Amino acid sequence: MLSVRLKMTIQQSEPDPQFLLENMFVAVMDNIFLLVLVTLLSVVQNVFFALKVEKECTGQHSKPHSAAFERLSCANRNCMDTYPTFLAVLWCAGICLSQAPAAFAGIIYLVVRQKYFVGYLGQTCQSTPGFLFGKRILFFLSLMCAVGIINHLMLSYGGNDYKEYIQTITKAASALLLLP
Amino acid sequence: MLSVRLKMTIQQSEPDPQFLLENMFVAVMDNIFLLVLVTLLSVVQNVFFALKVEKECTGQHSKPHSAAFERLSCANRNCMDTYPTFLAVLWCAGICLSQAPAAFAGIIYLVVRQKYFVGYLGQTCQSTPGFLFGKRILFFLSLMCAVGIINHLMLSYGGNDYKEYIQTITKAASALLLLP
Amino acid sequence: MLSVRLKMTIQQSEPDPQFLLENMFVAVMDNIFLLVLVTLLSVVQNVFFALKVEKECTGQHSKPHSAAFERLSCANRNCMDTYPTFLAVLWCAGICLSQAPAAFAGIIYLVVRQKYFVGYLGQTCQSTPGFLFGKRILFFLSLMCAVGIINHLMLSYGGNDYKEYIQTITKAASALLLLP
């Protein structure tokens, strides 16, 4: 649809530059709105975690350092420690290569994080002790970044553009993240 | 001014593509420079917090875990924990919808954070115990993100563009953040 | 090369808008791919740090709070605390002014962080006790941001564009970061 509108604009005898600029921003939004959506979901999850910790903290301030609060606070800290890394990789992968597989991997990461946090609350045997969870997803996103950069360099210096093939492969590969 | 320059470029018989590209980057900068400014201010504030903690730490290393240091370190940690969330929401809201209200909300958030940190240093009765401060501002920025995405989807699929009305409403609504 | 391709597109009697859009994205990638590369390296380093902490934690879970684990965990936390600040300043500087000096400063920051982390592991006398390391690099990147914004404002309101001179100066100045 955007192409049609742009074509109309360019074929006019006097194209309106304001319209060209607006279309540029629509095109940018087209390429990031799924990433914004995932970011928004992750922020909602962060607030959910923080409210859990706050509730535990104010609810039991008679005995401030109970075991439950310690575990909750530790789970929250582990989640927050990897959050900037996750955001950086998500956005780089989405911008460099393709937003749909990146956003899909981001959603799966949020589900894994939720399971990790809830598992931490419950019995100790359920909880994962690692500092990094969702390693596979972060690795997948990093790989997407690297492939995107390599493709850009090949396009700049060699003139070959394999972006469409790579995007197809990436979409297929992102389904593999669903494997347990 | 940008539109005028672009118009001149396009109406030439042989538009200079380099000039078109440069104007594109000026247009991008036009839409993010307030966000960059707020980010820069937040970084300066982060460094201020870190220097406060460092000064307290090295000043009293004879008794390493004094109450003042504990409180300072805790305030700093709470601020740092929500910093990535704040940055993500600020930039998403600014890019998706409108940068001026987002930057305004960002400035207010920085003021609230400063008050929180200074309040933590003083008497305990002044300090806010919550893990999240400025919840209202984060909520406002998240709402801006969501509205921006919904507007983009409506523009893509329905053809209606309410962005101008929404931006006017958002600017008016951002003034409400000044209420205590 | 990009200019040549754009020129060809525009000089056609009926320019293909899809092609114009694609070139726009190639131009954007041209201006950020070094930043993406540095971000990717920093993520790899974060994962390396996290794996070090995890290995120490699981390896000695018989005595969970050994001195080595405490020091490792503290070094990791200090690194993670400044990570969002670093990312924000790196990207702002790269987008506002020039990506090559920003990426160069980012690489040096990663080297300094590695030295800080390894120094923390070893003897106490090697380790730097500060909460902020690489202050000079963060200051340089912040300065780049500020100069970029000032230049943009001067371009918008005064019509003067000193960006080329500033970029040359910045590139020369970034070499000064190599001084110990």
Side-chain angles (χ1 to χ4, degrees):
Chain A
M1 199 203 66
L2 187 61
S3 304
V4 178
R5 287 177 64 190
L6 264 182
K7 197 160 212 153
M8 277 166 48
T9 318
I10 292 171
Q11 286 178 345
Q12 291 168 11
S13 52
E14 277 190 38
D16 182 9
Q18 191 63 42
F19 195 71
L20 257 180
L21 273 184
E22 265 173 33
N23 273 325
M24 198 183 84
F25 287 118
V26 172
V28 168
M29 270 301 287
D30 253 344
N31 277 273
I32 62 167
F33 80 96
L34 283 177
L35 301 176
V36 173
L37 210 64
V38 174
T39 307
L40 206 58
L41 281 177
S42 73
V43 167
V44 170
Q45 205 184 27
N46 284 348
V47 172
F48 168 75
F49 289 170
L51 287 178
K52 277 272 184 195
V53 175
E54 194 177 6
K55 192 181 150 201
E56 191 74 30
C57 180
T58 53
Q60 304 203 343
H61 68 276
S62 50
K63 37 174 184 167
H65 286 286
S66 67
F69 174 70
E70 277 297 326
R71 237 184 302 142
L72 209 59
S73 172
C74 181
N76 185 43
R77 187 149 299 153
N78 283 350
C79 287
M80 285 302 113
D81 269 3
T82 41
Y83 185 60
T85 309
F86 162 66
L87 269 192
V89 178
L90 172 74
W91 277 83
C92 285
I95 291 173
C96 288
L97 200 56
S98 176
Q99 70 161 344
F104 180 70
I107 293 274
I108 294 182
Y109 182 82
L110 294 186
V111 171
V112 169
R113 196 166 73 152
Q114 184 75 32
K115 273 168 79 178
Y116 168 81
F117 192 77
V118 171
Y120 227 100
L121 302 190
Q123 305 291 326
T124 330
C125 55
Q126 289 178 21
S127 70
T128 42
F131 282 78
L132 272 180
F133 46 92
K135 288 173 202 178
R136 203 170 36 154
I137 299 163
L138 288 180
F139 178 72
F140 175 73
L141 288 171
S142 305
L143 202 68
M144 276 179 71
C145 278
V147 169
I149 290 176
I150 291 169
N151 182 60
H152 175 74
L153 291 179
M154 271 166 54
L155 176 60
S156 291
Y157 295 108
N160 301 95
D161 192 358
Y162 301 111
K163 200 166 184 181
E164 280 191 26
Y165 306 105
I166 294 173
Q167 284 181 349
T168 313
I169 294 171
T170 312
K171 272 172 199 157
S174 68
L176 291 178
L177 290 176
L178 283 177
L179 293 178
Chain B
M1 198 202 67
L2 187 62
S3 303
V4 178
R5 287 177 65 189
L6 263 182
K7 197 161 214 155
M8 278 166 48
T9 318
I10 292 172
Q11 286 179 346
Q12 290 169 12
S13 54
E14 277 190 38
D16 182 10
Q18 191 63 43
F19 196 71
L20 257 180
L21 273 184
E22 266 173 33
N23 272 325
M24 198 183 83
F25 288 117
V26 172
V28 168
M29 271 301 288
D30 253 344
N31 277 273
I32 62 167
F33 81 95
L34 283 178
L35 300 176
V36 173
L37 209 64
V38 173
T39 307
L40 207 57
L41 281 178
S42 74
V43 167
V44 169
Q45 205 184 26
N46 284 348
V47 172
F48 167 76
F49 290 169
L51 288 178
K52 276 272 183 196
V53 174
E54 194 178 6
K55 192 181 151 201
E56 190 74 29
C57 181
T58 53
Q60 304 203 343
H61 67 277
S62 50
K63 37 174 185 168
H65 287 287
S66 68
F69 173 71
E70 277 297 327
R71 238 184 301 142
L72 210 58
S73 173
C74 180
N76 185 44
R77 187 149 299 154
N78 282 350
C79 287
M80 285 303 114
D81 269 3
T82 42
Y83 185 59
T85 310
F86 163 66
L87 269 192
V89 178
L90 172 74
W91 278 84
C92 285
I95 291 173
C96 288
L97 200 55
S98 175
Q99 70 162 342
F104 181 69
I107 293 274
I108 294 182
Y109 182 83
L110 293 185
V111 171
V112 169
R113 197 165 73 153
Q114 185 76 31
K115 273 168 79 177
Y116 170 81
F117 192 76
V118 171
Y120 229 99
L121 302 190
Q123 304 292 326
T124 329
C125 55
Q126 286 178 22
S127 70
T128 44
F131 282 78
L132 271 180
F133 46 92
K135 287 174 203 179
R136 204 171 36 157
I137 298 163
L138 288 181
F139 178 71
F140 175 73
L141 287 171
S142 305
L143 203 68
M144 275 179 70
C145 279
V147 169
I149 291 176
I150 291 169
N151 181 60
H152 174 74
L153 291 179
M154 271 166 53
L155 176 60
S156 291
Y157 294 108
N160 302 94
D161 191 358
Y162 301 111
K163 201 167 184 181
E164 281 192 27
Y165 306 106
I166 294 173
Q167 284 181 349
T168 312
I169 294 171
T170 312
K171 273 172 200 157
S174 68
L176 292 178
L177 290 176
L178 284 177
L179 293 177
Chain C
M1 198 202 67
L2 187 62
S3 302
V4 178
R5 287 177 65 190
L6 262 183
K7 197 160 213 153
M8 277 165 49
T9 318
I10 291 171
Q11 285 178 346
Q12 290 169 12
S13 53
E14 277 189 38
D16 182 10
Q18 191 63 43
F19 196 70
L20 257 180
L21 273 184
E22 265 172 33
N23 273 325
M24 198 183 83
F25 287 117
V26 172
V28 168
M29 270 302 287
D30 254 344
N31 277 273
I32 62 167
F33 81 95
L34 283 177
L35 301 176
V36 173
L37 210 64
V38 173
T39 306
L40 207 57
L41 281 178
S42 73
V43 167
V44 170
Q45 206 184 25
N46 283 348
V47 171
F48 168 75
F49 290 169
L51 288 178
K52 276 273 183 195
V53 175
E54 194 178 5
K55 191 181 150 202
E56 191 74 30
C57 180
T58 53
Q60 304 202 342
H61 67 276
S62 51
K63 37 175 185 167
H65 287 287
S66 68
F69 173 70
E70 278 296 328
R71 239 184 300 142
L72 210 58
S73 172
C74 180
N76 185 44
R77 188 149 298 154
N78 283 349
C79 288
M80 286 302 113
D81 269 3
T82 42
Y83 185 60
T85 309
F86 162 67
L87 269 192
V89 178
L90 172 74
W91 278 84
C92 285
I95 291 174
C96 288
L97 200 56
S98 175
Q99 70 161 343
F104 181 69
I107 293 275
I108 294 182
Y109 182 82
L110 293 185
V111 172
V112 169
R113 198 165 70 152
Q114 185 76 31
K115 273 168 80 178
Y116 169 81
F117 192 76
V118 172
Y120 228 99
L121 302 190
Q123 305 292 325
T124 330
C125 54
Q126 287 178 22
S127 70
T128 43
F131 282 78
L132 271 180
F133 46 92
K135 288 174 202 178
R136 205 171 36 156
I137 298 163
L138 288 181
F139 178 72
F140 175 73
L141 287 171
S142 305
L143 203 68
M144 275 179 71
C145 278
V147 169
I149 290 176
I150 291 169
N151 182 59
H152 175 73
L153 291 180
M154 270 166 54
L155 176 61
S156 290
Y157 294 108
N160 302 94
D161 191 358
Y162 301 111
K163 200 167 185 180
E164 281 192 27
Y165 306 106
I166 294 173
Q167 284 182 349
T168 313
I169 295 171
T170 311
K171 272 172 200 159
S174 68
L176 292 178
L177 290 176
L178 283 177
L179 293 179

